[in-house]
Amino acid sequence: MSESFRIPDEISISDVAQTAGVSVATVSRVLNGHTNVREPTREKVLAAIAASGYRVNELARNLRTAESRLLLTMVPDFGNPFYSAIVRGIDSVARQNGYFMLLCDTGADPGRERSYFDLLRGRRADGAICLDPAAVQKALAEEASALPWVACCEFDPAAGVPYVGIDNHQAAGDAVRHLLGRGHKKIALINSGHGYLYGRQRAEGYRDALSAAGIEADPAWHIDLDTLDYAAGEAAAHTLACLQNNRPTAVFAVSDTLAIGVINGLRGAGLRVPDEVAVVGFDDIAVAAQIDPPLTTVAQPMRELGETAANLLLKRLRDPHAEVPGVLLPHKLMIRRSA
Amino acid sequence: MSESFRIPDEISISDVAQTAGVSVATVSRVLNGHTNVREPTREKVLAAIAASGYRVNELARNLRTAESRLLLTMVPDFGNPFYSAIVRGIDSVARQNGYFMLLCDTGADPGRERSYFDLLRGRRADGAICLDPAAVQKALAEEASALPWVACCEFDPAAGVPYVGIDNHQAAGDAVRHLLGRGHKKIALINSGHGYLYGRQRAEGYRDALSAAGIEADPAWHIDLDTLDYAAGEAAAHTLACLQNNRPTAVFAVSDTLAIGVINGLRGAGLRVPDEVAVVGFDDIAVAAQIDPPLTTVAQPMRELGETAANLLLKRLRDPHAEVPGVLLPHKLMIRRSA
DNA sequence: CTGAAAGCGCTAACAT
DNA sequence: ATGTTAGCGCTTTCAG
């Protein structure tokens, strides 16, 4: 089972030093690739390491060097495919720069988010990227503002935290104008809860595009949801379908998951998409192009969003005093068959 | 470099001790909730902590206590919704037991998986749950077998690593028998690459169910893919659709993402589901019930899978010598409209 | 080129 | 009840 009751890897640098017949300093030098070690010595050390199966205790190293080379990414819900492409972008630049990226699911809960920020405070991670709702971020804005983190997708430009995202107001306007261009005048909005900044911005974009066209929306067409589940979208569609006398002919959902649920709900209510009701979504997640009819939606540059966020963070890590800008990336309307 | 440039939170336990006029031991005692501290003393310490904004350096604490209370979960691709429910199960039991769970995306790459295992070796995490392909796990089986980890969904019963999963052979058989029961005799199999154990097991389940019914499958109906992308399923559907003289009337895909792609591809080829071709998937991800037609699929108990994996790991952490069993959880065929 | 020694921030005996 | 002290395993001056 085991040596004589010590688990195999209780070997420390001094054990290695001893069997190699050198000092711990020398072992440390070869461990870190320092050049000032004579070849024979280095080889002795390497041999001792190999023979013992020694592994650096990163905890000790991190304590000494005061860095962990770990980055955290916090998402409100990693069940939402929207985040995966972003996270992959973050991961790839982190990796290229010698960092590990670890993902945390906060469930959009301030308490949980806070606990992950504690990993930062406790020096167990060097920095973080937060995709949580702006409201959640705000909950710890003051106390966390000194911490090395950046906001992605959701951000408060006034918070003094570096961020990257898109112009949601404009993007929502583009979606609505596309619907307008197809002759729709009765356009519903299916939005997420008020915790999300993007929700407020897209709602404004929707409203502004409508009023610019001289159209006034029926309040009954404006539905606020507290989740982005498919099921929530489905339920919203039923609500809309029941508006007998004044049913909208189009709906703009602020998330593809919602939009997909809406299409399903419409189908359940016997309404055909896009003939009777057109639907446009937001994000352009992978499955959006797979469903029937393929979803017209506003594509976010997900991978670039992630890469940019990671680069901003890295920059901030290199120079804590650097002015890190907020950046907005371009979106793009993907016209498919649902609208 | 620093000294005069110290960032605000360079405060250590001894600073606190000093301003509180006590020893570091006492500060440590109140930090850890030990009872043998007089109330007035405790209050002095608490005040000093609050005044300074002091935060425990977890790195130092971890080094001293030799545990990090961090758990790692490695997935081959967190873009696949199948994993999110499992991960959520893991997360919740980890949290209940005072552990943080952090997610790693290995991209099914042995090199990356290895680097995450290094976090374990370097004592930066206490344990891990691995959902990677069995082949990837195997790549480091020997060297990693001493490490505290468990396998989830993908596992090699002979590897000596605790695991949890389902009976893939049986589950695939159930799917195929359902198709058989509907009168299908020409049933295609769309499988993932050979790296996945579940792929081999489900292929066998498929074959066995078929031969038990006295049916021999045309080799052209057996398509192996090297990804689970929607697009791959779509492409496979086209291949199948082109089998003019001997086109299958049903397809069993080993993943819902594949099945959804297949349905889309079939539609593109002008074939109606389920009338002309029936489709059954595997996993029962959230979107499976949303598409048209709703997908018939084999549901895995995803959340329980995750919870069980976490419990096995925790058990192993508590007692490294405990015999931790392999466990198989029940699956369930969800009959919807696609087959 | 190599070693001795200090110390990162904390916890836990061991004293008092 | 509180303080003193010895490390956890490592990196890094500072000497030689």
Side-chain angles (χ1 to χ4, degrees), chain A residues 66-338:
Chain A
E67 70 165 6
S68 65
R69 300 206 76 83
L70 251 40
L71 262 28
L72 262 27
T73 296
M74 304 171 205
V75 299
D77 169 21
F78 51 44
N80 188 331
F82 167 59
Y83 295 111
S84 54
I86 296 180
V87 168
R88 211 167 279 123
I90 297 172
D91 197 48
S92 92
V93 353
R95 178 171 305 277
Q96 283 171 44
N97 287 271
Y99 282 83
F100 279 102
M101 192 231 50
L102 269 13
L103 195 62
C104 316
D105 187 351
T106 66
D109 169 18
R112 285 173 63 174
E113 170 167 294
R114 208 192 138 71
S115 72
Y116 288 114
F117 265 102
D118 282 343
L119 290 178
L120 266 195
R121 295 199 183 82
R123 283 58 159 208
R124 307 216 284 174
D126 292 344
I129 292 170
C130 182
L131 288 89
D132 261 318
V136 175
Q137 293 180 20
K138 194 162 226 158
L140 68 168
E142 312 81 63
E143 47 169 336
S145 68
L147 260 22
W149 66 286
V150 315
C152 183
C153 297
E154 280 285 299
F155 54 87
D156 179 354
V161 173
Y163 64 85
V164 54
I166 64 163
D167 184 339
N168 285 297
H169 182 279
Q170 174 75 30
D174 290 350
V176 172
R177 278 183 292 272
H178 173 253
L179 256 10
L180 256 11
R182 302 262 175 169
H184 293 284
K185 303 218 177 310
K186 302 160 124 188
I187 304 174
L189 170 68
I190 300 191
N191 204 350
S192 62
H194 288 296
Y196 286 92
L197 179 78
Y198 77 77
R200 292 194 298 279
Q201 293 175 332
R202 291 176 199 172
E204 270 179 47
Y206 159 87
R207 251 192 312 273
D208 292 350
L210 247 32
S211 52
I215 291 178
E216 192 179 348
D218 185 328
W221 300 339
H222 188 329
I223 300 184
D224 277 332
L225 265 18
D226 55 359
T227 134
L228 298 177
D229 286 354
Y230 296 108
E234 195 176 351
H238 280 115
T239 305
L240 256 21
C242 291
L243 262 33
Q244 312 262 108
N245 42 351
N246 200 22
R247 203 176 58 212
T249 63
V251 2
F252 169 45
V254 298
S255 156
D256 281 351
T257 50
L258 252 22
I260 290 171
V262 166
I263 290 180
N264 188 30
L266 255 16
R267 185 187 306 122
L271 262 16
R272 296 166 5 109
V273 177
D275 312 316
E276 295 175 90
V277 183
V279 176
V280 8
F282 208 109
D283 292 342
D284 197 23
I285 59 178
V287 78
Q290 298 290 327
I291 63 164
D292 183 34
L295 187 66
T296 291
T297 187
V298 179
Q300 298 204 50
M302 304 188 263
R303 184 159 187 114
E304 290 72 29
L305 246 13
E307 291 173 343
T308 306
N311 281 130
L312 293 182
L313 179 59
L314 254 18
K315 182 171 181 183
R316 186 163 178 182
L317 253 25
R318 278 186 218 105
D319 177 9
H321 301 291
E323 262 315 301
V324 184
V327 3
L328 254 30
L329 262 24
H331 59 270
K332 183 176 173 210
L333 183 66
M334 306 295 290
I335 299 173
R336 290 197 271 250
R337 289 218 338 272
S338 73

Side-chain angles (χ1 to χ4, degrees), chain B residues 12-13 28 32 54 57 61 64:
Chain B
S12 82
I13 194 174
S28 176
N32 292 284
Y54 165 76
N57 182 328
R61 173 180 282 175
R64 193 48 235 241

